[in-house]
């Protein structure tokens, strides 16, 4: 009896320890089996095309229900999420399939200091404190970080 | 008796749980202790030199038998694997030491649409569905992703 | 009695197995809860500004005592650590808050061959065998790799 009890305790402790090593998945998509954070921090406009292509490839390969994709933009890469960016329609199509877009507040503040006001953003952009911190949070939630 | 049985079951369950957390290593190199996927997706030709340097540094540091290296090329980075790329000899020397080179089929199709036919590739390039998906597969097999 | 003994052994074995999966953290900062390696390997000087901004954002967000940051420079990115680089004051301010800067010896040797002597480095730069190997070592110590 007491042994069974001890074994349950041991099993519980084991699961607890294992549980600590298994990060929780925070995602809008409860059925996602793959989780990817795509980073854009380059100035080069061809990187904007490339990151949207990569997001599309992920949706096509896994299916929109089985992959969670978040694009995190910071530094010069924030231009992807400017209101007047030429990729608005592609961003909309990706948002419609569940892709999230995050904009770095630190970059916004820095750019605002230079141009006199923060740039206007795509309405789908969610603002996060710091792009790099958002990326680390997602990595801890088992997201793969890929910078196209 | 019953306790020993229970303990075996518990030990087995523990190993099973631990096993689930330990990814299988798929590699041509059965003695590799380090696994690296090197990504090239930039247009800049100096990145081609750099990624080949990095592959060389890895082989020199760990020894060719103890490190598995795969270069995954997509987007503008696919140029590294064009048949007429100037780095053919260096690629051959790396292949001879076990380095693998993967080319993104999505990029091939896209480039083919623009130039009228898919570009001719280095015969050592293995074609993968999507560069980004190949990278994720390798990450799940415990490869470190590095983009030089 | 014998059961308790067996259970202790099993618990010990479990912890041992778990322990193998938990990498040791090698860091100057014993209270760090977050560990980040920032890679610079680009030629573009705006990347130097960006990587220093990102290091600053990490220190501001987590506090200098709670995050360990190492910048690893290789390839053309080594210029950040040249003695006469214009970012010396910013590097000094980051070093004062515990950020470490590593310079790739392979790159130093290669540049030395071209310009006739190895470039003079920032005195805060610690020289590592190969930038890519240093990054892999840090990843195995649970550092997140981010390339701004």
């Amino acid at each position: 009896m007491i042994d069974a009890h001890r074994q349950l305790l041991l099993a519980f402790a084991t699961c607890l320890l294992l549980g600590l090593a298994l990060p929780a998945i925070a995602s809008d998509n409860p059925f996602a089996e793959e989780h990817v954070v795509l980073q854009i921090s380059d100035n080069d406009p061809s990187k904007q095309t490339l990151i949207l292509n990569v997001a599309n490839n992920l949706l096509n390969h896994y299916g929109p229900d089985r992959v969670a994709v978040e694009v995190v933009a910071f530094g010069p890469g924030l231009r992807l999420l400017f209101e007047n960016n030429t990729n608005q329609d592609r961003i909309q199509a990706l948002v419609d399939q569940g892709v999230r877009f995050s904009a770095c507040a630190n970059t916004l503040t820095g750019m605002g200091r230079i141009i006199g006001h923060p740039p206007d953003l795509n309405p789908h952009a969610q603002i996060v404190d710091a792009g790099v911190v958002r990326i680390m949070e997602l990595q801890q939630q088992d997201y793969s970080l890929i910078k196209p």
Side-chain angles (χ1 to χ4, degrees), chain A:
Chain A
M1 280 304 142
I2 234 166
D3 277 326
H5 190 69
R6 272 184 194 148
Q7 278 168 352
L8 270 176
L9 267 177
L10 179 57
F12 181 71
T14 305
C15 292
L16 201 69
L17 281 165
L18 283 163
L20 288 174
L22 296 173
I25 303 296
S27 160
D28 291 348
N29 187 339
F31 302 109
E33 292 165 17
E34 306 291 340
H35 300 78
V36 191
V37 48
L38 299 176
Q39 173 191 328
I40 183 161
S41 53
D42 294 304
N43 201 19
D44 181 359
S46 76
K47 287 293 180 191
Q48 299 177 9
T49 307
L50 185 58
I51 203 170
L52 300 175
N53 288 352
V54 166
N56 251 322
N57 288 346
L58 286 167
L59 296 174
N60 288 342
H61 181 86
Y62 294 109
D65 290 340
R66 297 190 43 212
V67 64
V69 180
E70 181 165 326
V71 174
V72 176
F74 66 91
L78 189 64
R79 292 165 199 275
L80 173 67
L81 299 181
F82 282 8
E83 196 178 28
N84 57 2
N85 183 284
T86 53
N87 294 292
Q88 280 177 65
D89 291 349
R90 294 195 70 192
I91 291 173
Q92 179 69 56
L94 289 167
V95 167
D96 291 344
Q97 292 176 89
V99 176
R100 288 163 287 150
F101 289 85
S102 295
C104 172
N106 287 336
T107 304
L108 273 173
T109 307
M111 287 179 165
R113 258 188 241 119
I114 294 166
I115 59 173
H117 58 91
D120 292 323
L121 288 191
N122 186 310
H124 292 300
Q126 62 170 338
I127 295 175
V128 295
D129 272 2
V132 64
V133 171
R134 179 63 181 162
I135 286 172
M136 288 173 63
E137 286 170 359
L138 290 171
Q139 284 184 308
Q140 283 159 8
Q141 291 167 27
D142 223 19
Y143 276 66
S144 299
L145 169 61
I146 295 178
K147 180 176 185 287

